[in-house]
Amino acid sequence: MSVQAPSAIVLIRPHRFAPNPATAGDNAFQVSAGTLDPEVLAATARDEVTGLALALESAGVTVHLFDDHDHSRPDSVFPNNWLSTHAGGHVAVFPMYAPNRRSERRTDILELLKTRYRVQDVIDYSGLELDDVFLEGTGAMVLDHGGRVAYAAKSHRADPVALERFCTNFGYEPMVFDAADSSGTAVYHTNVMMTVATDFAMIGLDMIRSPERRRQVVERLSAGGRTIIELTHHQVREFAGNAIELQGPNGRILALSHRAFASLTESQKAVIQRSCTLLPIDVPTIELAGGSVRCMIAGIHLDPRPVLLSGDGSPEQSGEHGFLTACHAPLTEPERLAPGELRSQQAALIPA
């Protein structure tokens, strides 16, 4: 097993997906839906999430799939921006830049984590939104869970105050850098330009402006023998950096989009395949919103609770037969978190 690669994840299946006008200003990866029929667009996006869930479930990853029918949350398909989980039973809830994304935070998902996994505490940073301070989870940060480093490209979605507070609370060293694409546009989320896996890292090194900082990032990423796969600007634009390593029963997999997979060279794929099975999934509609497969996945780095047996000996917890049995009923109006609602909240501790 790998501390870097979770074996369980959260997915949100949106029923009202659309590229979010409130995030288009600084997201250079986002594309307008143009004249596409909104109903067709939403239905196609919903089906792409279902396809991703099925592909990951077939690879042995535990998938907790939640539905979202609310038309006011076009980006709810990207839960990794408001939620992260960490070994030792720790959960973080993050402050979001776009006001229309803040209602994506859902107590039902947090309750699922507390019920199915060992959660010691939930640290809520969302109250920082009142001071215009933002840190959009594992979009704004790419976390090396083993090396305890939080890589972050400077942007207003990765405020240094919030980043420092998170790193202090969760035991990470912040490594911040300026990064921009070939046109000089700043990178809005770090996870579009880099992926950290157990034995390799993929990164658009040329996007880091400072040669000295670039050297330092390479030094930290390669510590312990990790191979560096350098991505071109074109490959980053094709979402090759927006991948995630997951753990299946037969080994680790690298989940990424077909578009990202097609952009990789054969030699790059060979490096990845030394330690991971490549799992490309087609999500072109979701990618219109400026994020790809990694953005769609909130990894669960928590220890599961034991499965309890009912009187007849059958398991009481669902999920052991795949995501369809772990799937949560459609929630037409999910309970939402107000900014700061969970601050200092401690999850109920249940003896092992």
Side-chain angles (χ1 to χ4, degrees), residues 4 20 49 52 59 63 69 71 85 103 139 149 171 191 224 253 257 260 269-270 282 292 345:
Q4 187 67 25
N20 187 355
V49 175
L52 173 61
V63 178
H69 292 261
H71 70 280
T85 66
S103 67
V149 181
N191 77 355
I253 63 175
S257 73
K269 292 175 184 176
D282 208 21
S292 190
Q345 175 181 335

Coordinates of all heavy atoms in Angstrom, one line a residue, residues 4 20 49 52 59 63 69 71 85 103 139 149 171 191 224 253 257 260 269-270 282 292 345:
Q4 N 0.7 7.6 -0.5 CA 0.3 8.7 -1.5 C -1.0 8.3 -2.3 O -1.7 9.2 -2.7 CB 1.5 8.8 -2.5 CG 1.3 9.9 -3.5 CD 1.4 11.3 -2.9 OE1 2.0 11.5 -1.8 NE2 0.8 12.3 -3.5
N20 N -18.4 27.3 -15.4 CA -18.9 28.3 -14.4 C -18.4 29.7 -14.9 O -17.2 30.0 -14.9 CB -18.3 28.0 -13.1 CG -18.8 28.8 -12.0 OD1 -19.5 29.8 -12.2 ND2 -18.4 28.5 -10.7
V49 N -19.3 11.2 -15.5 CA -18.9 10.9 -14.1 C -19.3 9.5 -13.8 O -18.6 8.7 -13.1 CB -19.6 11.9 -13.1 CG1 -19.4 11.5 -11.6 CG2 -19.2 13.3 -13.3
L52 N -16.6 7.3 -15.1 CA -15.4 7.4 -14.3 C -15.6 6.5 -13.1 O -14.7 5.7 -12.7 CB -15.1 8.8 -13.9 CG -14.0 9.0 -12.8 CD1 -12.7 8.5 -13.4 CD2 -13.9 10.5 -12.4
A59 N -11.6 -1.2 -11.3 CA -10.2 -1.3 -10.9 C -10.0 -1.6 -9.4 O -8.8 -1.7 -9.0 CB -9.4 0.0 -11.3
V63 N -15.6 3.6 -4.4 CA -16.2 4.9 -4.9 C -17.4 5.3 -4.1 O -18.4 4.5 -4.1 CB -16.5 4.8 -6.4 CG1 -17.1 6.1 -6.8 CG2 -15.2 4.5 -7.2
H69 N -28.3 17.7 -7.8 CA -29.3 18.2 -8.7 C -29.4 19.7 -8.7 O -30.3 20.3 -9.5 CB -30.7 17.6 -8.4 CG -30.7 16.1 -8.6 ND1 -31.3 15.5 -9.7 CD2 -30.3 15.1 -7.8 CE1 -31.2 14.2 -9.6 NE2 -30.6 13.9 -8.5
H71 N -29.1 23.5 -9.6 CA -28.7 24.3 -10.7 C -27.7 25.4 -10.4 O -27.1 26.0 -11.3 CB -29.9 24.8 -11.5 CG -30.5 25.9 -10.7 ND1 -31.4 25.7 -9.7 CD2 -30.4 27.3 -10.8 CE1 -31.8 26.9 -9.2 NE2 -31.2 27.8 -9.8
T85 N -8.6 14.9 2.9 CA -8.5 14.0 4.1 C -7.1 13.5 4.3 O -6.3 13.5 3.3 CB -9.4 12.7 3.9 OG1 -8.9 11.9 2.8 CG2 -10.9 13.1 3.6
S103 N -21.4 26.8 -1.7 CA -22.5 25.9 -1.3 C -22.2 24.5 -1.7 O -23.0 23.6 -1.3 CB -23.8 26.4 -1.8 OG -23.8 26.2 -3.2
G139 N -6.7 21.4 -5.3 CA -6.5 22.1 -6.6 C -5.4 23.1 -6.4 O -4.5 23.1 -7.2
V149 N 5.2 17.6 1.9 CA 5.4 18.8 1.2 C 4.1 19.2 0.5 O 3.5 18.4 -0.1 CB 6.6 18.8 0.2 CG1 6.8 20.1 -0.5 CG2 7.9 18.3 0.8
G171 N 1.0 19.5 9.3 CA 2.3 18.9 9.2 C 3.0 18.8 7.9 O 3.7 17.9 7.6
N191 N -2.7 21.8 -9.4 CA -2.9 20.4 -9.9 C -3.1 20.3 -11.4 O -3.3 19.2 -11.9 CB -4.0 19.7 -9.1 CG -5.4 20.1 -9.4 OD1 -5.6 21.0 -10.3 ND2 -6.4 19.5 -8.8
G224 N 14.3 10.5 -2.4 CA 13.9 9.1 -2.2 C 13.8 8.3 -3.5 O 13.3 7.2 -3.5
I253 N -2.8 2.5 -9.7 CA -3.2 2.9 -11.0 C -3.1 4.4 -11.1 O -3.0 5.1 -10.1 CB -4.7 2.5 -11.3 CG1 -5.6 3.3 -10.3 CG2 -4.9 1.0 -11.2 CD1 -7.1 3.0 -10.6
S257 N -7.4 11.6 -18.0 CA -8.3 11.6 -19.1 C -7.7 11.0 -20.3 O -6.4 10.9 -20.5 CB -8.8 13.0 -19.4 OG -7.7 13.8 -20.0
A260 N -5.4 13.6 -21.9 CA -4.1 13.6 -21.2 C -3.3 12.4 -21.6 O -2.1 12.6 -22.0 CB -4.3 13.6 -19.7
K269 N 5.0 7.2 -20.8 CA 4.1 6.1 -20.4 C 4.9 4.9 -19.8 O 4.5 4.3 -18.8 CB 3.3 5.6 -21.6 CG 2.3 6.7 -22.1 CD 1.6 6.2 -23.3 CE 0.6 7.2 -23.9 NZ 0.0 6.8 -25.2
A270 N 6.1 4.6 -20.4 CA 6.9 3.5 -19.9 C 7.3 3.8 -18.5 O 7.4 2.8 -17.6 CB 8.1 3.3 -20.8
D282 N -12.6 8.9 -20.5 CA -13.0 10.0 -21.4 C -13.9 11.0 -20.7 O -15.0 10.6 -20.3 CB -13.8 9.4 -22.6 CG -13.6 10.3 -23.9 OD1 -12.7 11.1 -23.9 OD2 -14.5 10.1 -24.8
S292 N -9.9 18.3 -15.0 CA -10.0 17.0 -15.6 C -10.1 16.0 -14.5 O -10.7 16.2 -13.4 CB -8.8 16.7 -16.5 OG -8.9 15.5 -17.2
Q345 N -14.8 22.1 15.4 CA -15.7 20.9 15.6 C -14.9 19.6 15.7 O -14.0 19.4 14.9 CB -16.7 20.7 14.5 CG -17.6 19.5 14.6 CD -18.5 19.3 13.4 OE1 -18.9 20.3 12.8 NE2 -18.9 18.1 13.1

